[in-house]
Amino acid sequence: GNLGIEMQTDAHPFTDHKNRIALVHNGHIYNKDALLSKLRRHSLSSVGSTDSEVIAHLIGYYLDKGLTTKKAVKLALGKLEGTWAISIIAASDPDSIILAKNGSPLFVGVGNSEQNEFYIGSSTAAFDRNCKSFLSLNDGEIVTVNRNLEIERSRLEPASKMERVRGRQVLLEEIMEQP
């Protein structure tokens, strides 16, 4: 869930502005406001104000540029500062789920392999008795799981110290330019 007033518009899953991806998210994005401002400057005025909505629309922003879902996810997550455990499904590949983690726990439990059964959660206790094995995602890791239980792992490229410093300088400049 989200913090603040409970509203139907704050309920998971969240989608990008063209309904190409659906996303659930647990965590807190510290630079959400700066990302939200950037998205709104790029004609995405309908973006809501929750962390999850910002992530979904940021992925959509990169999809608009013609990137694949996996590349759009990787680029969007590279812009986030904070903690997250994210699960994403794309309309273009409904048989796969993209998972990513940074600071928040995220596990994949493998259940009945004959039925290609798997579970996703922030704690293995939720599906202990149904699973024979678990995969614990590492911080900065992106994992894709498909219907056949094939798992693909990749890493986010950490921003260099200079990129982080430049990013903060740009953010400060953007703040100072506000009316």
Side-chain angles (χ1 to χ4, degrees):
N2 295 301
L3 299 175
I5 299 171
E6 285 188 41
M7 297 175 59
Q8 185 64 30
T9 57
D10 288 342
H12 284 95
F14 290 97
T15 62
D16 72 298
H17 60 285
K18 294 182 181 174
N19 294 317
R20 296 167 290 189
I21 59 111
L23 168 145
V24 293
H25 160 248
N26 183 25
H28 182 71
I29 306 305
Y30 308 132
N31 63 334
K32 171 194 72 158
D33 292 334
L35 294 170
L36 181 59
S37 293
K38 177 182 178 179
L39 289 169
R40 288 185 174 156
R41 280 196 307 274
H42 289 282
S43 301
L44 293 174
S45 59
S46 65
V47 178
S49 60
T50 69
D51 296 8
S52 303
E53 289 171 287
V54 170
I55 298 167
H57 286 283
L58 188 58
I59 294 168
Y61 169 79
Y62 289 116
L63 289 171
D64 286 346
K65 295 186 174 292
L67 298 177
T68 66
T69 303
K70 288 181 186 178
K71 286 183 182 180
V73 167
K74 205 168 199 177
L75 270 176
L77 296 181
K79 302 290 184 195
L80 303 181
E81 294 176 12
T83 62
W84 62 84
I86 297 173
S87 180
I88 301 164
I89 190 164
S92 62
D93 187 7
D95 290 335
S96 295
I97 296 178
I98 300 171
L99 309 167
K101 173 196 180 310
N102 189 59
S104 295
L106 189 59
F107 300 92
V108 177
V110 179
N112 185 333
S113 58
E114 291 175 15
Q115 294 179 13
N116 295 336
E117 191 176 72
F118 65 94
Y119 300 82
I120 300 166
S122 58
S123 168
T124 61
F127 42 79
D128 261 348
R129 67 176 185 210
N130 297 320
C131 296
K132 298 172 186 154
S133 61
F134 300 94
L135 169 68
S136 175
L137 275 72
N138 297 309
D139 283 345
E141 187 170 35
I142 299 174
V143 171
T144 304
V145 182
N146 70 20
R147 184 177 298 274
N148 298 319
L149 295 178
E150 297 167 334
I151 296 173
E152 176 188 315
R153 297 175 96 153
S154 63
R155 302 262 328 141
L156 283 174
E157 298 299 323
S160 72
K161 184 175 181 179
M162 285 305 295
E163 286 174 335
R164 288 192 304 268
V165 169
R166 263 196 308 272
R168 285 191 183 99
Q169 288 171 340
V170 169
L171 176 60
L172 289 173
E173 289 171 11
E174 289 176 353
I175 291 170
M176 298 306 286
E177 291 174 359
Q178 297 298 314

